[in-house]
Amino acid sequence: MSFQTKHPRMKEFLAHLNCFFSKKVCFALFFTAGPLLLQAQYERILNDPDVIWAAETDIIYSFAPAHRRDSTEWQQNHYWKSYDPKDPEKLQGGERLLHRLLNAARSGAWPAWEFNDSVYQLSSAELQSRLDELDTISVMDLETGRFRNQAVINSVNPDDFYAIRARQLLYYDARAGDFKVYTYAIAPVRRVVETFAQSGKTFEEFRYSYVPFWLKMPPFEKKKKGKRADVNDKDITWAAQISTRANSPWPDSLQRVFKNFQPPVMQVLLNRFKTDQQYEALTSEGDPVPFAQRAEMISRTDTVVTFDPETYEEVIKVSRRAMEAADMRLRLEQNWYWNERRQRLEIQPERFAPLYRATDSQGNFMFEAPLFWKKL
């Protein structure tokens, strides 16, 4: 089915419609301005015939300092590099990245965007109003001796930002058997607290968190395998390897699905792992997973203890059943680099792992661990 028109705006819309009906792309959301702009960024990925599944994730990556009470085990951060000889601030870990993001946005080096009900670039005045808060203080007039109210502008403290929220397209390449990630936009997350005193001590109570602006990442570009940023490059002043933990997504439970030709996608991954002897799967130590052991790995042993009604003796029954692929989460490991010259954050996927849930003999959850790792 094909549609034609001479109107330029309608031609753009019908291009999406033709693409939809030709089954090049399976879009979930179609008619609002925001999703259309987003889909345009995703098209090169979604039109790839090897991509059989794709969905958008909205993940919060925590960079709270370890001494902060709101520091969580959202993900594991390995900091490789965190310095700037021109910057006298002694910032640790993710603090430097958050400061650099805010500085780049304030200076206009990295344009800020609004991504709520509409999608548009923020002016410098709009951005300033979101990062500077108007307050009123009482001051004494030296001539009259009376107090009067005076408006002052308080800049948001960069240390109030504790995380980065990332909108990422997670997609499965059936040819390679890989889950890959393209980051569309990121946003610094601000933590708002209320300070109060009690019994002579000062406490903080968390109120809410929000993002004041978004930063667009570069358009998707298919990179050659093995091409990585050089952490020793003088332009790279901050670098870390980020591995999701509690924020690992459930692919088969994501809501914003753009393409889904062979559901459930996690079962597709497990079938490839089980049946393809050439599929390169690694252990957590980096050793190849023997093909002969894979079928047994994706089945689970259940031990049920019962009692014989006649003899009252304990009876132990052992059964094996396949893992529930739809209940499996996906751990994502990515390399993040801050390029000081370009004033940009670069995010490069490194590897991924499906996570299995280990339980005890009573079926109680014990822990979550990688079934195998696949390097990208």
Side-chain angles (χ1 to χ4, degrees):
M1 184 181 295
S2 180
F3 302 89
Q4 302 294 329
T5 182
K6 293 183 179 180
H7 194 285
R9 293 292 297 276
M10 184 58 72
K11 286 177 67 176
E12 180 181 357
F13 171 77
L14 292 181
H16 288 277
L17 202 58
N18 287 329
C19 190
F20 176 83
F21 281 106
S22 65
K23 293 188 178 179
K24 288 183 179 178
V25 176
C26 182
F27 289 137
L29 298 177
F30 206 74
F31 293 99
T32 60
L36 280 177
L37 289 173
L38 187 64
Q39 290 163 1
Q41 295 295 326
Y42 293 165
E43 269 190 1
R44 292 187 62 187
I45 299 171
L46 299 174
N47 286 336
D48 186 338
D50 292 332
V51 175
I52 64 169
W53 178 92
E56 189 181 71
T57 63
D58 193 335
I59 298 177
I60 291 182
Y61 295 91
S62 175
F63 292 98
H67 66 274
R68 283 270 291 271
R69 287 189 301 167
D70 62 343
S71 179
T72 65
E73 291 299 322
W74 277 107
Q75 80 270 342
Q76 187 173 5
N77 302 335
H78 292 292
Y79 297 107
W80 291 334
K81 195 174 186 180
S82 181
Y83 80 93
D84 182 356
K86 298 179 182 179
D87 190 346
E89 295 177 287
K90 303 298 182 182
L91 302 175
Q92 300 296 320
E95 294 174 284
R96 178 169 297 282
L97 173 62
L98 291 165
H99 280 238
R100 300 312 295 157
L101 286 178
L102 292 169
N103 291 342
R106 273 190 180 276
S107 67
W110 195 347
W113 288 74
E114 171 66 65
F115 278 160
N116 287 329
D117 297 331
S118 58
V119 179
Y120 69 95
Q121 185 174 336
L122 298 174
S123 67
S124 58
E126 287 175 313
L127 178 62
Q128 182 177 342
S129 69
R130 298 182 180 204
L131 294 179
D132 297 328
E133 299 175 336
L134 186 63
D135 197 2
T136 303
I137 61 174
S138 182
V139 297
M140 177 185 288
D141 190 307
L142 297 179
E143 295 183 358
T144 64
R146 296 180 178 178
F147 285 92
R148 59 183 175 83
N149 292 331
Q150 179 175 314
V152 295
I153 295 177
N154 295 321
S155 294
V156 171
N157 186 349
D159 293 335
D160 290 340
F161 290 85
Y162 74 102
I164 288 178
R165 182 176 164 188
R167 296 181 69 172
Q168 299 177 307
L169 186 70
L170 178 66
Y171 59 100
Y172 183 73
D173 184 324
R175 179 187 291 270
D178 290 339
F179 272 103
K180 300 176 182 178
V181 176
Y182 163 62
T183 306
Y184 170 66
I186 61 171
V189 184
R190 187 188 176 201
R191 175 180 180 270
V192 179
V193 299
E194 182 178 337
T195 304
F196 63 95
Q198 184 176 348
S199 303
K201 296 182 180 180
T202 302
F203 298 91
E204 286 185 351
E205 182 178 349
F206 173 79
R207 303 300 296 173
Y208 60 90
S209 62
Y210 72 97
V211 297
F213 60 86
W214 286 87
L215 299 168
K216 280 189 178 182
M217 298 293 281
F220 172 76
E221 179 183 351
K222 196 168 185 178
K223 294 181 173 60
K224 294 181 179 179
K225 192 170 184 178
K227 185 179 180 182
R228 294 286 186 268
D230 183 4
V231 72
N232 295 315
D233 190 320
K234 62 180 179 60
D235 293 331
I236 303 298
T237 58
W238 181 93
Q241 187 167 89
I242 312 298
S243 182
T244 59
R245 289 294 189 273
N247 54 356
S248 298
W250 276 273
D252 288 311
S253 298
L254 294 174
Q255 298 300 309
R256 288 180 58 83
V257 179
F258 289 87
K259 195 173 184 180
N260 195 11
F261 286 170
Q262 295 184 30
V265 68
M266 291 299 284
Q267 189 61 57
V268 174
L269 174 67
L270 291 188
N271 291 344
R272 180 71 176 271
F273 169 72
K274 176 182 177 181
T275 62
D276 187 352
Q277 191 168 356
Q278 304 303 316
Y279 189 68
E280 297 179 348
L282 304 175
T283 65
S284 296
E285 291 73 32
D287 301 319
V289 177
F291 180 72
Q293 298 178 9
R294 296 184 186 182
E296 184 177 352
M297 288 174 63
I298 63 175
S299 63
R300 194 170 75 182
T301 301
D302 288 334
T303 304
V304 180
V305 179
T306 61
F307 292 90
D308 189 299
E310 296 181 359
T311 64
Y312 297 102
E313 293 182 353
E314 186 179 88
V315 178
I316 299 177
K317 293 183 178 181
V318 178
S319 62
R320 302 187 67 85
R321 60 188 178 92
M323 289 182 176
E324 297 291 338
D327 295 334
M328 299 182 73
R329 294 201 295 173
L330 196 68
R331 181 161 293 170
L332 305 173
E333 191 170 273
Q334 305 163 72
N335 298 333
W336 291 29
Y337 308 90
W338 176 260
N339 189 307
E340 188 68 22
R341 178 180 58 83
R342 296 181 60 244
Q343 293 287 286
R344 290 293 189 276
L345 177 67
E346 301 173 14
I347 298 179
Q348 298 177 351
E350 177 70 16
R351 59 179 185 166
F352 68 88
L355 301 175
Y356 71 91
R357 295 168 61 85
T359 57
D360 60 19
S361 60
Q362 305 302 317
N364 300 311
F365 172 76
M366 294 191 300
F367 59 86
E368 201 173 41
L371 179 66
F372 65 87
W373 283 96
K374 181 69 165 60
K375 189 172 178 59
L376 299 173

